[in-house]
Amino acid sequence: GAGVSQSPSNKVTEKGKDVELRCDPISGHTALYWYRQSLGQGLEFLIYFQGNSAPDKSGLPSDRFSAERTGGSVSTLTIQRTQQEDSAVYLCASSRRGGEAREQYFGPGTRLTVT
Amino acid sequence: KNQVEQSPQSLIILEGKNCTLQCNYTVSPFSNLRWYKQDTGRGPVSLTIMTFSENTKSNGRYTATLDADTKQSSLHITASQLSDSASYICVVSASEASGGSYIPTFGRGTSLIVHP
């Protein structure tokens, strides 16, 4: 079956512009995570959606970052007024509900470059 | 604070050789540990998962070990191939049932390059 897909694969934007990154999780997966991966750094948790529960936004680095998940499926991560330090690879992952051993299936990521 | 430390940061080996990657963690209460392989330009893919009671688990040429007492894990790659060139990430999850965070803790990864 289809895995997690993300679009665009690459995005170059000017400082100050807004960007939207999209994630299509695996069908039937109720949990969805967004991470940021900067060069030489581990994955940084941004936000977590689980079913219809309120999302865990504790990892969002500033109020310029927001995310939504429509209909329990597709998710969009929005970064407003982008800054150069926002340049990174943004990874989305989904998993089945239940159990601490749940495996996260990752998308290929969106490489964001802010000039 | 939950932390995962990996070593070495990078490693270069010749094709056909073996290598071992290390992971130390302080995540508590411990639930499980995964090793992921991340090829360039792709998302991480799970190689193995180990819980508290498991000491060793293999997946083809990959063998992971876990010492829950010393909070250490290793990933051993046997007879390396060019396709093994990737970043290997150690990820530790806490026990939600015991009050731990459901957000896993990621190491920074070991970058492995296999030369012909």
Side-chain angles (χ1 to χ4, degrees), chain B residues 42-105:
Chain B
R42 295 181 175 270
V45 175
S46 179
L47 293 174
T48 64
I49 178 174
M50 303 183 73
T51 57
F52 186 87
S53 59
E54 297 175 299
N55 300 118
T56 303
K57 183 166 285 189
S58 292
N59 177 1
R61 294 179 296 102
Y62 301 103
T63 299
T65 65
L66 175 66
D67 185 334
D69 292 330
T70 61
K71 299 185 178 180
Q72 297 179 326
S73 175
S74 66
L75 180 69
H76 186 74
I77 304 175
T78 303
S80 61
Q81 300 177 358
L82 299 179
S83 59
D84 292 332
S85 295
S87 178
Y88 291 84
I89 304 171
C90 177
V91 184
V92 184
S93 295
S95 171
E96 296 173 48
S98 299
S101 170
Y102 50 77
I103 306 301
T105 304

Side-chain angles (χ1 to χ4, degrees), chain A residues 3 12 16 24-25 37 41 47 49 52 57 72 96-97 108-109 111:
Chain A
V12 180
D24 282 272
Q37 187 175 35
Q41 302 295 317
I47 188 168
F49 296 90
N52 296 320
K57 305 178 181 181
R96 294 186 185 90
R97 178 186 175 89
R111 179 175 297 279

Side-chain angles (χ1 to χ4, degrees), chain A residues 36-44 85-90, chain B residues 108:
Chain A
R36 180 167 68 178
Q37 187 175 35
S38 301
L39 190 63
Q41 302 295 317
L43 272 69
E44 174 190 6
E85 61 263 28
D86 298 335
S87 296
V89 175
Y90 289 82
Chain B
R108 294 186 178 187

